[in-house]
Amino acid sequence: KAGVTQTPRYLIKTRGQQVTLSCSPISGHRSVSWYQQTPGQGLQFLFEYFSETQRNKGNFPGRFSGRQFSNSRSEMNVSTLELGDSALYLCASSKNTGDSGNTIYFGEGSWLTVV
Amino acid sequence: EDQVTQSPEALRLQEGESSSLNCSYTVSGLRGLFWYRQDPGKGPEFLFTLYSAGEEKEKERLKATLTKKESFLHITAPKPEDSATYLCAVLTNAGKSTFGDGTTLTVKP
């Protein structure tokens, strides 16, 4: 069974540009969440989508946005990139039903460097 | 505000030297507590889910326990391949997850 797949794995962008990251959840998982991980701030929750609707949101500026498609695949977008946006962006999915449905499984992440 | 605090920040052990990692939490309503292992440059790998006080889960040299205020990850006779950062996370009844900053474990041969 394939795990959570994130693309691209590595990318370099310039300040002011925008970036779109993609995530394919585990088959059958309907919830997709996004996290930012940096050495100084640890793992920070960005947002969660379920059935194409944003269900929860973390404390990030409006430059960070996301969406989920009908096949549960998700994208996140960061506009007007800043140097501080350099981080590992992790996507995670969960079934969200049943006793074991709360467990979230992570992808390998997308490494974003803003120069 | 939901809070998760992990201690120690870093732990260095000799191979075979057992120890425990702590995760203390303050949340409005706990739906579940999760432990993950993260190797450098990789995404967190799921280890355990605990749902209620008194619950215990085991996997190889790892054992996770849960009380009403904290969770412990016990490592018995660790090996160098157990070296990683161990993350604790709580999921609240509101559906929000909060992660601790992790404990970086180094096991020397």
Side-chain angles (χ1 to χ4, degrees):
Chain A
K1 186 170 171 179
V4 178
T5 305
Q6 292 187 245
T7 57
R9 285 281 283 134
Y10 304 93
L11 66 166
I12 300 173
K13 290 286 188 177
T14 305
R15 267 185 306 176
Q17 285 187 315
Q18 71 152 14
V19 66
T20 298
L21 308 178
S22 180
C23 173
S24 292
I26 292 172
S27 177
H29 285 196
R30 297 170 63 190
S31 169
V32 174
S33 49
W34 289 89
Y35 295 81
Q36 181 195 66
Q37 188 173 35
T38 59
Q41 299 293 322
L43 254 170
Q44 303 290 316
F45 172 74
L46 280 156
F47 28 66
E48 182 210 359
Y49 287 86
F50 182 82
S51 293
E52 301 178 67
T53 301
Q54 188 180 86
R55 193 159 66 170
N56 279 301
K57 189 176 187 305
N59 298 322
F60 278 81
R63 299 185 297 108
F64 293 81
S65 63
R67 59 177 175 168
Q68 187 181 32
F69 302 96
S70 57
N71 61 0
S72 293
R73 194 176 67 82
S74 177
E75 289 181 347
M76 70 162 281
N77 183 276
V78 187
S79 62
T80 319
L81 284 166
E82 301 176 358
L83 295 178
D85 296 332
S86 296
L88 175 65
Y89 289 88
L90 290 160
C91 172
S93 73
S94 68
K95 265 196 270 187
N96 215 243
T97 56
D99 289 341
S100 62
N102 294 314
T103 301
I104 57 174
Y105 297 89
F106 286 88
E108 293 295 338
S110 292
W111 282 97
L112 171 65
T113 301
V114 182
V115 296
Chain B
E1 185 182 330
D2 302 325
Q3 282 194 318
V4 178
T5 304
Q6 290 189 247
S7 61
E9 285 185 22
L11 182 62
R12 296 171 69 89
L13 300 172
Q14 286 295 130
E15 184 172 2
E17 180 187 0
S18 302
S19 188
S20 295
L21 281 55
N22 177 263
C23 170
S24 62
Y25 61 90
T26 307
V27 296
S28 49
L30 180 71
R31 188 187 295 180
L33 184 141
F34 308 88
W35 282 98
Y36 292 85
R37 168 194 170 126
Q38 187 173 26
D39 293 299
K42 296 195 168 187
E45 175 190 345
F46 169 72
L47 292 173
F48 304 109
T49 307
L50 300 166
Y51 289 105
S52 56
E55 190 174 357
E56 298 183 351
K57 294 271 179 77
E58 280 188 76
K59 180 181 178 180
E60 297 180 355
R61 295 178 292 283
L62 300 176
K63 179 180 175 180
T65 61
L66 180 66
T67 72
K68 287 187 177 179
K69 294 183 179 179
E70 57 191 349
S71 176
F72 292 94
L73 184 65
H74 307 277
I75 303 177
T76 303
K79 298 182 177 182
E81 53 261 42
D82 294 322
S83 297
T85 295
Y86 291 84
L87 296 167
C88 166
V90 295
L91 177 67
T92 69
N93 289 330
K96 289 198 172 184
S97 57
T98 303
F99 278 78
D101 289 337
T103 294
T104 300
L105 173 66
T106 303
V107 182
K108 305 193 80 175

